[in-house]
Amino acid sequence: TFVADAAGGFVCDDVPPGPTLVRVDADGFSPWFRRDLVVPAEGDLAGVTATLEGARSVSGRVLAADTGRPVPGAWVFAVARGAKDAPDGGRVNPLVNLETGPDGAYVLAGLPPGPVDVAVSLALGYKNAWQDPATAKKEGVAAGATGVDFRLVPLVDPSAPR
């Protein structure tokens, strides 16, 4: 961890030559990542500019489609769209994930402005975003949105009588 000076400059000493990942965090801003940087064998890696964007959040609840009850302990994530098209092409799409609370509520914070994809990656006993994208995934949600709710379909127990 390195702290920037008043002008935003920083120096990372003793980084071994080769590929490196840089992450920049600042209160009130979305994290900034670069994965395409290479520290030269001789000399320094210089001229890296991190352009930080104000942080946004997405919030909502995860509920059972059949009963309307909250689904606590479900894992929800949001990933920013379009970061690979940014002028600094090695930028990594920011990803935020967390577990829903007892009331099924979640707040995914630290997202950059713009569209994000939000989905449920795991909810025991329910279909997730890969099994049922129609109910467990929302694409192009505006960062800053509230009330982004999911109504998950229960998994059917194959051994249950029909």
Side-chain angles (χ1 to χ4, degrees), residues 129-142:
W130 295 272
Q131 296 163 316
D132 189 4
T135 62
K137 183 175 185 182
K138 297 184 187 291
E139 296 180 336
V141 173

Side-chain angles (χ1 to χ4, degrees), residues 139-155:
E139 296 180 336
V141 173
T146 60
V148 181
D149 296 343
F150 294 93
R151 296 195 178 275
L152 301 184
V153 175
L155 290 171

